């Protein structure tokens, strides 16, 4: 028998995470399977105004002679909440682990207080969840960091009532994505309950992760012995290998209800310009799915240099004819549109701004998920 442990600490953690996640500024971000292996949730948080919808299916052929194909879909719906948070639910079906409850609802809140995008050396993410089938409060802490083409993730998980069996249990997981190119990665992970019983195997997965060119969608084609990707479901493996895929669909709500994503907030006081001769040069970094800073204020005649520090291709585009929704870019009257064209990782693009006014530009490959920036040019 496994020792039963009190779950009060876990409940406390869950409450704290929930409260923290409901607390304040949201980064532009969408989920990409390039940043996480198939059975790990990663540290991504969405932007509010974007609804993330992910569809995962895993298949296994049954016993002969019928060899009926069993299909275990997991759906995820989530949206960013202010304060680097994400709130959502997973609905996982045909799970064999919770007796009498094959369909799991998992409601969760994620909070990522530290992110590499904010120039930290790692991502730290906390998740609190309620698994309705197991009637269990679940928690997860995830650490992730990038080392060259590798993104490494580790997670600790705790369940107040694992698999509805009346006991608190915990699990650990680790995985990595290896970037092969700007749009493909190999990924794998392993997870284990810390007190595995008979018939309870480690959960594993291995997959090819793909960013579908010129769309905000990513696709994972994978194999795993885990049936679902709830926190509990991804912590236990079975004897059969399931084959499957996951497709991620960010839906920008504001595209459908009018005004477009709200333009970036007021310019930050920084960055400090450098001098090129007598001209001032401001640097903007192009990160994974965001311009940093998102908004800057400069003076007429200043230069701005964008540098792609991410592993994806991006553009800097203020050209109404080249974007899906021309109303989302803005140029002062009479100013020539500009477009960097594709910027590969490491490349940069410089533009001079002689005309005062407000400029709103976006990234063509990631316009649907609100990758947008703003420049205020004063006299
Ligand atoms: Cu982009």
């Amino acid at each position: 028998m496994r020792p039963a442990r009190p779950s009060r600490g876990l409940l406390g953690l869950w409450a704290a995470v929930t409260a923290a996640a409901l607390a304040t500024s949201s980064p532009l971000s969408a989920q990409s399977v390039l940043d996480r292996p198939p059975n790990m949730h990663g540290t991504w948080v969405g932007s509010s105004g974007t609804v993330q919808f992910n569809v995962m299916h895993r298949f296994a052929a049954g016993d002969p002679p019928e060899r009926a194909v069993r299909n275990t879909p997991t759906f995820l719906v989530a949206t960013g909440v202010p304060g680097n948070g994400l709130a959502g639910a997973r609905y996982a079906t045909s799970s064999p682990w919770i007796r009498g409850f094959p369909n799991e609802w998992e409601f969760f809140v994620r909070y990522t207080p530290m992110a590499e995008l904010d120039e930290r050396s790692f991502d730290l993410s906390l998740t609190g969840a309620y698994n309705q089938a197991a009637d269990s409060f679940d928690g997860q802490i995830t650490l992730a960091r990038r080392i060259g083409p590798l993104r490494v993730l580790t997670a600790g998980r705790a369940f107040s009532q694992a698999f509805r069996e009346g006991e608190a249990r915990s699990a650990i997981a680790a995985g990595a994505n290896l970037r092969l190119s700007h749009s493909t990665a190999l990924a794998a992970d392993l997870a284990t309950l810390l007190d595995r019983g008979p018939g309870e195997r480690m959960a594993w997965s291995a997959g090819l992760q793909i960013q579908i060119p010129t769309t905000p969608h990513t696709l994972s084609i994978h194999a795993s012995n885990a049936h679902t990707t709830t926190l509990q479901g991804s912590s236990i493996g079975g004897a059969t290998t399931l084959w499957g895929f996951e497709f991620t669909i960010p839906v920008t709500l504001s595209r459908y209800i009018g005004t477009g994503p709200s333009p970036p907030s007021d310019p930050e006081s920084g960055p400090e310009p450098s001098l090129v001769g007598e001209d001032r040069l401001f640097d903007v970094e192009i990160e994974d799915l965001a311009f940093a800073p998102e908004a800057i204020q400069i003076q007429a005649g200043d230069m701005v240099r964008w540098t792609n520090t991410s592993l994806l291709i991006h553009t800097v585009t203020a050209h109404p004819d080249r974007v899906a929704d021309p109303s989302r870019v803005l140029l002062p009257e009479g100013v020539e549109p500009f477009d960097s064209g594709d910027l590969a990782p490491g490349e940069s693009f410089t533009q001079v701004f002689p005309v005062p006014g407000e400029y709103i530009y976006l990234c063509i490959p990631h316009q649907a998920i609100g990758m947008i920036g703003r420049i205020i040019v004063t006299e």
Side-chain angles (χ1 to χ4, degrees), residues 104-124:
E104 294 170 68
W105 273 109
E106 180 185 78
F107 302 95
F108 68 88
V109 180
R110 181 180 303 158
Y111 172 51
T112 296
M114 285 182 213
E116 285 183 303
L117 287 175
D118 305 329
E119 293 172 1
R120 306 288 184 142
S121 55
F122 59 89
D123 287 353
L124 167 69

Side-chain angles (χ1 to χ4, degrees), residues 117-296:
L117 287 175
D118 305 329
E119 293 172 1
R120 306 288 184 142
S121 55
F122 59 89
D123 287 353
L124 167 69
S125 176
L126 304 166
T127 301
Y130 173 69
N131 187 311
Q132 179 254 348
D135 189 20
S136 174
F137 290 96
D138 299 345
Q140 173 171 250
I141 178 165
T142 304
L143 285 172
R145 77 166 295 178
R146 245 171 257 284
I147 307 164
L150 213 55
R151 179 162 163 87
V152 182
L153 300 92
T154 58
R157 300 172 185 155
F159 317 115
S160 74
Q161 184 181 210
F163 314 118
R164 209 179 245 267
E165 285 171 351
E167 292 175 10
R169 297 180 73 180
S170 48
I172 50 171
N177 281 30
L178 173 66
R179 278 292 170 122
L180 302 177
S181 71
H182 72 272
S183 58
T184 53
L186 291 176
D189 55 43
L190 269 180
T192 181
L193 289 158
L194 290 181
D195 52 354
R196 278 208 319 274
E200 297 181 340
R201 294 168 193 249
M202 291 180 86
W204 61 265
S205 79
L208 174 65
Q209 319 288 81
I210 301 164
Q211 160 87 49
I212 298 174
T214 75
T215 77
H217 305 298
T218 63
L219 175 69
S220 165
I221 299 166
H222 57 253
S224 176
N225 68 343
H227 287 74
T228 75
T229 52
T230 59
L231 290 170
Q232 295 195 22
S234 58
S235 299
I236 186 165
T240 357
T241 297
L242 300 151
W243 292 89
F245 69 87
E246 179 172 9
F247 190 58
T248 68
I249 308 164
V251 180
T252 308
L253 283 186
S254 37
R255 279 178 103 187
Y256 303 99
I257 51 179
T259 56
S262 51
S265 50
D266 287 339
E268 299 168 15
S269 50
E272 288 298 311
S274 46
L275 286 177
V276 180
E278 303 220 317
D279 299 320
R280 302 198 307 163
L281 174 70
F282 290 81
D283 275 296
V284 173
E285 284 196 14
I286 308 177
E287 298 177 334
D288 266 355
L289 292 167
F291 297 104
E294 216 170 69
I296 56 171

